[in-house]
Amino acid sequence: MTMNNTVFESERTVLGCVIQYPDLFGEYVPRLSMDLFTSDSHRDMYQAILSAYKKTSGNYDQALIIAGLKDSDTREELLTCCQTVFRSTNLDAHMQALQEAAQKRFIYERIEYAIADDTLTPDKLQEIHDIAVDAYTPDLRDYGSADYDRYVESLSKPVATLYTRCKRLDSLTGGLRRGTLTIIGARPSVGKTTFALNIVQNMTSYGRTAAFFSLEMTQEMIFEKLAMRGCRVDSSTLHHQPDEKIRHRISEYFDTSGARRRLIVIDDMTAVESISGYILSKKPDVAVIDYAQIVQTLRREENTRTKIDYISSTLKQAAKRTGCRVILLSQLRRPDSSLTKPKPPTMADLKESSGLEQDGDYIFLLSRPYAQDKTFDNEHNRYIYPPNEAQLLVEKNKFGSTGMIELNFDGQHQDFEEVNYV
């Protein structure tokens, strides 16, 4: 029986996921077996994976896997397997495809032997079928019953949400749930970094831990934004050697707000694999990545679209496996230059990716018309679109309502506040 392309791609996907996602290694390697693979290179790869699994008692060690591959062609195929995979959401389907293919191979081979020996009878055929089913069909009896019990038990407890302390936003969402991915999108200069920092400041003020991965701004710039909002000082004050009194106020704010103890700002980590690894090991309550389009990956991707799909999928998995609320900031497409007035953004404006829209449990779009049109009305001595007016569009919410929230933007103190919330 010859191997078809679909089975070959499933073999690549399964091996690529096991190698590419450390958090899947311990769970899936015990479910694999040599007879699931038909390609010699894939069998060699599985042998190296299994050997590493045994030597490390189930702990992931990619270097040990690679060291177990003696053939250069197999190492090249390993790289191809990793490049094939950009999300692990269909891993179980590919596992099932391998099990079904192995079952068919077993049945065909045993029937051929029985025909050659002239021992094929209806009873023999039934025996072959029963052995194949027993060997390659997972035992689903009572499978997952404990999971159902845990869910029912959890209903007696409050849902583990994390409040942003933006009252209207929390009213719509019920707070950000454990293990979720939130996408905050905005066009350039609207204030997505500031808005995300506001949320983080609110969370750390009541005891939550946070990691802020700043890929565009330096750590010092982020600290400056925190100080401007927390101490109500403007940037010009901070840029001209503030006196000891102001420095003391800032230091005291970092202490009393919990930022010094609970918020870490990281500006030297750019690869999604490193960011995901940090989240998996440190397990902060919330992690913000600023922003998707400049996050890097150790993999070679064909284009920006597949790269961002892989990034969002990787962060989604990190959120699910740690309970962390991951917030990924994203640029939105620039508006059509032919438009005569600013147009509110939509999910279709998420730049370069459908993965962001698919993976996001919550999608918030920040809009500030002034950032698009700074025309000054000389007749009325004002801007056509006031610099302080902003809106937050809750475009996707898997657990509640969507809607629009009016905001006031205080650029001098880097602060967004809800308007007229009752």
Side-chain angles (χ1 to χ4, degrees):
M1 182 180 178
T2 58
M3 174 179 56
N4 60 46
N5 289 334
T6 301
V7 173
F8 186 77
E9 290 305 316
S10 287
E11 291 184 14
R12 274 183 166 172
T13 300
V14 169
L15 290 168
C17 282
V18 170
I19 296 167
Q20 192 73 8
Y21 296 99
D23 48 321
L24 299 179
F25 185 79
E27 178 182 350
Y28 280 86
V29 172
R31 295 169 56 183
L32 301 176
S33 59
M34 184 68 80
D35 52 354
L36 290 179
F37 303 99
T38 54
S39 161
D40 288 340
S41 60
H42 292 171
R43 284 171 169 258
D44 290 344
M45 230 179 290
Y46 166 73
Q47 191 62 52
I49 290 169
L50 183 62
S51 176
Y53 178 87
K54 291 178 178 178
K55 287 180 181 178
T56 62
S57 300
N59 294 316
Y60 180 80
D61 189 332
Q62 190 178 77
L64 196 57
I65 295 172
I66 296 173
L69 301 176
K70 307 302 181 185
D71 183 70
S72 59
D73 291 338
T74 305
R75 287 195 292 271
E76 185 69 27
E77 176 60 17
L78 180 144
L79 181 60
T80 301
C81 290
C82 292
Q83 292 172 341
T84 299
V85 178
F86 62 89
R87 62 177 65 242
S88 62
T89 50
N90 294 324
L91 177 55
D92 286 331
H94 287 288
M95 284 284 293
Q96 184 177 350
L98 292 190
Q99 290 168 342
E100 290 175 354
Q103 188 180 69
K104 289 178 182 178
R105 289 195 299 271
F106 176 87
I107 291 173
Y108 278 125
E109 289 173 1
R110 292 304 176 93
I111 289 176
E112 287 179 351
Y113 293 151
I115 291 173
D117 295 341
D118 197 23
T119 58
L120 185 62
T121 63
D123 288 342
K124 182 69 172 179
L125 192 59
Q126 185 64 48
E127 179 188 347
I128 292 171
H129 172 267
D130 291 345
I131 293 173
V133 169
D134 184 61
Y136 295 104
T137 301
D139 184 4
L140 299 180
R141 290 170 298 179
D142 296 327
Y143 182 75
S145 64
D147 296 331
Y148 286 92
D149 292 339
R150 278 194 294 272
Y151 170 70
V152 173
E153 183 181 351
S154 73
L155 295 177
S156 64
K157 304 173 183 177
V159 177
T161 56
L162 200 161
Y163 294 106
T164 65
R165 289 196 168 177
C166 299
K167 292 182 179 180
R168 175 65 176 152
L169 182 58
D170 288 337
S171 176
L172 288 173
T173 64
L176 303 183
R177 294 201 183 192
R178 280 175 51 84
T180 53
L181 176 65
T182 299
I183 308 297
I184 298 179
R187 296 188 174 109
S189 303
V190 168
K192 61 182 179 296
T193 302
T194 296
F195 182 73
L197 272 176
N198 288 178
I199 289 176
V200 166
Q201 281 175 284
N202 293 346
M203 290 174 172
T204 55
S205 69
Y206 66 95
R208 301 297 187 167
T209 58
F212 195 99
F213 297 90
S214 179
L215 282 71
E216 183 180 34
M217 298 184 181
T218 65
Q219 187 184 69
E220 184 181 42
M221 293 174 184
I222 299 299
F223 289 160
E224 179 179 303
K225 284 179 174 285
L226 295 174
M228 289 170 69
R229 182 184 188 231
C231 299
R232 312 312 285 180
V233 295
D234 58 35
S235 59
S236 61
T237 301
L238 297 176
H239 292 171
H240 294 89
Q241 292 185 319
D243 59 30
E244 185 177 350
K245 183 178 179 181
I246 292 177
R247 294 200 303 271
H248 177 73
R249 275 176 57 198
I250 293 173
S251 180
E252 188 176 57
Y253 167 73
F254 287 158
D255 280 333
T256 57
S257 68
R260 195 188 298 275
R261 300 184 305 280
R262 304 187 196 107
L263 170 59
I264 183 168
V265 177
I266 302 168
D267 65 358
D268 59 355
M269 197 176 289
T270 60
V272 69
E273 292 84 0
S274 300
I275 295 170
S276 175
Y278 182 95
I279 295 170
L280 289 167
S281 62
K282 301 298 184 181
K283 298 180 176 61
D285 292 316
V286 60
V288 177
I289 298 92
D290 184 16
Y291 55 93
Q293 284 72 26
I294 54 176
V295 176
Q296 301 300 313
T297 171
L298 302 178
R299 301 184 349 156
R300 291 184 296 180
E301 296 293 347
E302 294 181 3
N303 51 53
T304 303
R305 184 186 185 88
T306 58
K307 185 183 85 166
I308 294 179
D309 284 352
Y310 167 68
I311 288 166
S312 67
S313 174
T314 301
L315 294 173
K316 173 86 168 184
Q317 291 300 318
K320 287 175 64 177
R321 295 186 179 279
T322 61
C324 178
R325 291 85 173 169
V326 175
I327 300 175
L328 176 62
L329 308 190
S330 174
Q331 290 276 31
L332 298 181
R333 292 188 183 91
R334 291 185 179 276
D336 187 341
S337 58
S338 65
L339 294 175
T340 57
K341 62 180 182 179
K343 180 182 177 183
T346 67
M347 283 195 289
D349 293 320
L350 285 169
K351 197 171 182 181
E352 303 287 358
S353 175
S354 60
L356 295 175
E357 184 176 342
Q358 176 181 323
D359 292 329
D361 298 291
Y362 309 94
I363 295 181
F364 307 149
L365 304 181
L366 191 63
S367 174
R368 196 157 61 92
Y370 170 80
Q372 292 176 235
D373 187 348
K374 297 181 175 64
T375 303
F376 190 79
D377 183 353
N378 291 304
E379 181 180 351
H380 297 93
N381 194 35
R382 62 179 176 81
Y383 289 100
I384 293 179
Y385 298 101
N388 65 303
E389 290 185 1
Q391 299 83 37
L392 183 69
L393 308 173
V394 180
E395 288 285 286
K396 181 180 179 181
N397 176 11
K398 283 187 177 179
F399 314 104
S401 304
T402 58
M404 189 268 285
I405 302 168
E406 293 284 353
L407 301 173
N408 181 77
F409 175 60
D410 178 359
Q412 187 177 20
H413 300 119
Q414 293 295 287
D415 191 16
F416 282 94
E417 292 183 346
E418 293 178 339
V419 176
N420 298 328
Y421 178 77
V422 179

PDB file of all heavy atoms in Angstrom, residues 328-344:
ATOM      1  N   LEU A 328      -2.204  41.293  22.644  1.00  0.00           N
ATOM      2  CA  LEU A 328      -1.320  41.523  21.499  1.00  0.00           C
ATOM      3  C   LEU A 328      -1.784  42.775  20.764  1.00  0.00           C
ATOM      4  O   LEU A 328      -2.920  42.843  20.288  1.00  0.00           O
ATOM      5  CB  LEU A 328      -1.355  40.311  20.557  1.00  0.00           C
ATOM      6  CG  LEU A 328      -0.557  40.422  19.252  1.00  0.00           C
ATOM      7  CD1 LEU A 328       0.931  40.607  19.528  1.00  0.00           C
ATOM      8  CD2 LEU A 328      -0.793  39.175  18.390  1.00  0.00           C
ATOM      9  N   LEU A 329      -0.909  43.783  20.696  1.00  0.00           N
ATOM     10  CA  LEU A 329      -1.247  45.009  19.978  1.00  0.00           C
ATOM     11  C   LEU A 329      -0.963  44.824  18.488  1.00  0.00           C
ATOM     12  O   LEU A 329      -0.077  44.058  18.101  1.00  0.00           O
ATOM     13  CB  LEU A 329      -0.442  46.190  20.526  1.00  0.00           C
ATOM     14  CG  LEU A 329      -0.480  46.411  22.044  1.00  0.00           C
ATOM     15  CD1 LEU A 329       0.145  47.751  22.394  1.00  0.00           C
ATOM     16  CD2 LEU A 329      -1.887  46.307  22.586  1.00  0.00           C
ATOM     17  N   SER A 330      -1.739  45.509  17.662  1.00  0.00           N
ATOM     18  CA  SER A 330      -1.581  45.352  16.217  1.00  0.00           C
ATOM     19  C   SER A 330      -1.844  46.664  15.501  1.00  0.00           C
ATOM     20  O   SER A 330      -2.729  47.438  15.885  1.00  0.00           O
ATOM     21  CB  SER A 330      -2.550  44.286  15.697  1.00  0.00           C
ATOM     22  OG  SER A 330      -2.506  44.210  14.279  1.00  0.00           O
ATOM     23  N   GLN A 331      -1.063  46.902  14.466  1.00  0.00           N
ATOM     24  CA  GLN A 331      -1.338  48.032  13.576  1.00  0.00           C
ATOM     25  C   GLN A 331      -2.569  47.704  12.732  1.00  0.00           C
ATOM     26  O   GLN A 331      -2.818  46.541  12.399  1.00  0.00           O
ATOM     27  CB  GLN A 331      -0.155  48.265  12.636  1.00  0.00           C
ATOM     28  CG  GLN A 331       1.083  48.804  13.311  1.00  0.00           C
ATOM     29  CD  GLN A 331       1.053  50.316  13.462  1.00  0.00           C
ATOM     30  OE1 GLN A 331      -0.012  50.904  13.612  1.00  0.00           O
ATOM     31  NE2 GLN A 331       2.207  50.944  13.451  1.00  0.00           N
ATOM     32  N   LEU A 332      -3.320  48.715  12.384  1.00  0.00           N
ATOM     33  CA  LEU A 332      -4.417  48.581  11.425  1.00  0.00           C
ATOM     34  C   LEU A 332      -3.989  49.179  10.093  1.00  0.00           C
ATOM     35  O   LEU A 332      -3.092  50.032  10.039  1.00  0.00           O
ATOM     36  CB  LEU A 332      -5.667  49.299  11.929  1.00  0.00           C
ATOM     37  CG  LEU A 332      -6.279  48.792  13.243  1.00  0.00           C
ATOM     38  CD1 LEU A 332      -7.531  49.600  13.582  1.00  0.00           C
ATOM     39  CD2 LEU A 332      -6.608  47.312  13.164  1.00  0.00           C
ATOM     40  N   ARG A 333      -4.619  48.718   9.036  1.00  0.00           N
ATOM     41  CA  ARG A 333      -4.311  49.280   7.720  1.00  0.00           C
ATOM     42  C   ARG A 333      -4.572  50.781   7.709  1.00  0.00           C
ATOM     43  O   ARG A 333      -5.516  51.264   8.324  1.00  0.00           O
ATOM     44  CB  ARG A 333      -5.177  48.615   6.638  1.00  0.00           C
ATOM     45  CG  ARG A 333      -4.862  47.160   6.396  1.00  0.00           C
ATOM     46  CD  ARG A 333      -5.640  46.657   5.184  1.00  0.00           C
ATOM     47  NE  ARG A 333      -5.394  45.239   4.974  1.00  0.00           N
ATOM     48  CZ  ARG A 333      -6.140  44.276   5.494  1.00  0.00           C
ATOM     49  NH1 ARG A 333      -7.175  44.588   6.254  1.00  0.00           N
ATOM     50  NH2 ARG A 333      -5.871  43.004   5.271  1.00  0.00           N
ATOM     51  N   ARG A 334      -3.739  51.488   6.973  1.00  0.00           N
ATOM     52  CA  ARG A 334      -3.966  52.934   6.821  1.00  0.00           C
ATOM     53  C   ARG A 334      -5.253  53.155   6.027  1.00  0.00           C
ATOM     54  O   ARG A 334      -5.565  52.389   5.119  1.00  0.00           O
ATOM     55  CB  ARG A 334      -2.789  53.601   6.114  1.00  0.00           C
ATOM     56  CG  ARG A 334      -1.522  53.616   6.970  1.00  0.00           C
ATOM     57  CD  ARG A 334      -0.415  54.390   6.293  1.00  0.00           C
ATOM     58  NE  ARG A 334       0.785  54.427   7.106  1.00  0.00           N
ATOM     59  CZ  ARG A 334       1.004  55.302   8.075  1.00  0.00           C
ATOM     60  NH1 ARG A 334       0.093  56.231   8.332  1.00  0.00           N
ATOM     61  NH2 ARG A 334       2.113  55.270   8.767  1.00  0.00           N
ATOM     62  N   PRO A 335      -6.007  54.198   6.347  1.00  0.00           N
ATOM     63  CA  PRO A 335      -7.275  54.438   5.646  1.00  0.00           C
ATOM     64  C   PRO A 335      -7.058  54.814   4.193  1.00  0.00           C
ATOM     65  O   PRO A 335      -5.984  55.298   3.813  1.00  0.00           O
ATOM     66  CB  PRO A 335      -7.890  55.598   6.440  1.00  0.00           C
ATOM     67  CG  PRO A 335      -6.721  56.294   7.058  1.00  0.00           C
ATOM     68  CD  PRO A 335      -5.714  55.212   7.363  1.00  0.00           C
ATOM     69  N   ASP A 336      -8.054  54.609   3.405  1.00  0.00           N
ATOM     70  CA  ASP A 336      -8.027  54.986   1.995  1.00  0.00           C
ATOM     71  C   ASP A 336      -7.829  56.505   1.892  1.00  0.00           C
ATOM     72  O   ASP A 336      -8.585  57.289   2.477  1.00  0.00           O
ATOM     73  CB  ASP A 336      -9.352  54.574   1.345  1.00  0.00           C
ATOM     74  CG  ASP A 336      -9.343  54.764  -0.167  1.00  0.00           C
ATOM     75  OD1 ASP A 336      -8.488  55.522  -0.669  1.00  0.00           O
ATOM     76  OD2 ASP A 336     -10.201  54.166  -0.849  1.00  0.00           O
ATOM     77  N   SER A 337      -6.807  56.913   1.157  1.00  0.00           N
ATOM     78  CA  SER A 337      -6.481  58.345   1.043  1.00  0.00           C
ATOM     79  C   SER A 337      -7.577  59.133   0.324  1.00  0.00           C
ATOM     80  O   SER A 337      -7.627  60.360   0.427  1.00  0.00           O
ATOM     81  CB  SER A 337      -5.150  58.522   0.300  1.00  0.00           C
ATOM     82  OG  SER A 337      -5.225  57.931  -0.990  1.00  0.00           O
ATOM     83  N   SER A 338      -8.455  58.431  -0.377  1.00  0.00           N
ATOM     84  CA  SER A 338      -9.521  59.126  -1.103  1.00  0.00           C
ATOM     85  C   SER A 338     -10.696  59.495  -0.198  1.00  0.00           C
ATOM     86  O   SER A 338     -11.575  60.257  -0.601  1.00  0.00           O
ATOM     87  CB  SER A 338     -10.040  58.252  -2.258  1.00  0.00           C
ATOM     88  OG  SER A 338     -10.663  57.071  -1.750  1.00  0.00           O
ATOM     89  N   LEU A 339     -10.713  58.969   1.028  1.00  0.00           N
ATOM     90  CA  LEU A 339     -11.810  59.278   1.942  1.00  0.00           C
ATOM     91  C   LEU A 339     -11.755  60.735   2.367  1.00  0.00           C
ATOM     92  O   LEU A 339     -10.687  61.279   2.668  1.00  0.00           O
ATOM     93  CB  LEU A 339     -11.736  58.378   3.175  1.00  0.00           C
ATOM     94  CG  LEU A 339     -11.961  56.873   2.953  1.00  0.00           C
ATOM     95  CD1 LEU A 339     -11.726  56.112   4.249  1.00  0.00           C
ATOM     96  CD2 LEU A 339     -13.361  56.605   2.429  1.00  0.00           C
ATOM     97  N   THR A 340     -12.907  61.370   2.410  1.00  0.00           N
ATOM     98  CA  THR A 340     -12.963  62.789   2.769  1.00  0.00           C
ATOM     99  C   THR A 340     -13.023  63.006   4.271  1.00  0.00           C
ATOM    100  O   THR A 340     -12.765  64.113   4.754  1.00  0.00           O
ATOM    101  CB  THR A 340     -14.184  63.451   2.115  1.00  0.00           C
ATOM    102  OG1 THR A 340     -15.372  62.741   2.518  1.00  0.00           O
ATOM    103  CG2 THR A 340     -14.061  63.422   0.592  1.00  0.00           C
ATOM    104  N   LYS A 341     -13.384  61.983   5.030  1.00  0.00           N
ATOM    105  CA  LYS A 341     -13.396  62.090   6.486  1.00  0.00           C
ATOM    106  C   LYS A 341     -13.014  60.750   7.100  1.00  0.00           C
ATOM    107  O   LYS A 341     -13.176  59.697   6.466  1.00  0.00           O
ATOM    108  CB  LYS A 341     -14.756  62.549   6.993  1.00  0.00           C
ATOM    109  CG  LYS A 341     -15.902  61.602   6.681  1.00  0.00           C
ATOM    110  CD  LYS A 341     -17.204  62.170   7.247  1.00  0.00           C
ATOM    111  CE  LYS A 341     -18.376  61.221   6.993  1.00  0.00           C
ATOM    112  NZ  LYS A 341     -19.642  61.743   7.561  1.00  0.00           N
ATOM    113  N   PRO A 342     -12.475  60.754   8.318  1.00  0.00           N
ATOM    114  CA  PRO A 342     -12.034  59.512   8.955  1.00  0.00           C
ATOM    115  C   PRO A 342     -13.162  58.485   9.052  1.00  0.00           C
ATOM    116  O   PRO A 342     -14.309  58.818   9.349  1.00  0.00           O
ATOM    117  CB  PRO A 342     -11.589  59.975  10.346  1.00  0.00           C
ATOM    118  CG  PRO A 342     -11.235  61.408  10.173  1.00  0.00           C
ATOM    119  CD  PRO A 342     -12.201  61.931   9.158  1.00  0.00           C
ATOM    120  N   LYS A 343     -12.796  57.249   8.797  1.00  0.00           N
ATOM    121  CA  LYS A 343     -13.748  56.149   8.856  1.00  0.00           C
ATOM    122  C   LYS A 343     -13.400  55.247  10.036  1.00  0.00           C
ATOM    123  O   LYS A 343     -12.240  54.894  10.225  1.00  0.00           O
ATOM    124  CB  LYS A 343     -13.684  55.348   7.548  1.00  0.00           C
ATOM    125  CG  LYS A 343     -14.637  54.169   7.486  1.00  0.00           C
ATOM    126  CD  LYS A 343     -14.461  53.423   6.168  1.00  0.00           C
ATOM    127  CE  LYS A 343     -15.351  52.193   6.128  1.00  0.00           C
ATOM    128  NZ  LYS A 343     -15.136  51.403   4.874  1.00  0.00           N
ATOM    129  N   PRO A 344     -14.396  54.867  10.851  1.00  0.00           N
ATOM    130  CA  PRO A 344     -14.095  53.987  11.988  1.00  0.00           C
ATOM    131  C   PRO A 344     -13.480  52.671  11.515  1.00  0.00           C
ATOM    132  O   PRO A 344     -13.882  52.134  10.476  1.00  0.00           O
ATOM    133  CB  PRO A 344     -15.473  53.756  12.629  1.00  0.00           C
ATOM    134  CG  PRO A 344     -16.312  54.896  12.170  1.00  0.00           C
ATOM    135  CD  PRO A 344     -15.817  55.234  10.800  1.00  0.00           C
TER     136      PRO A 344
END
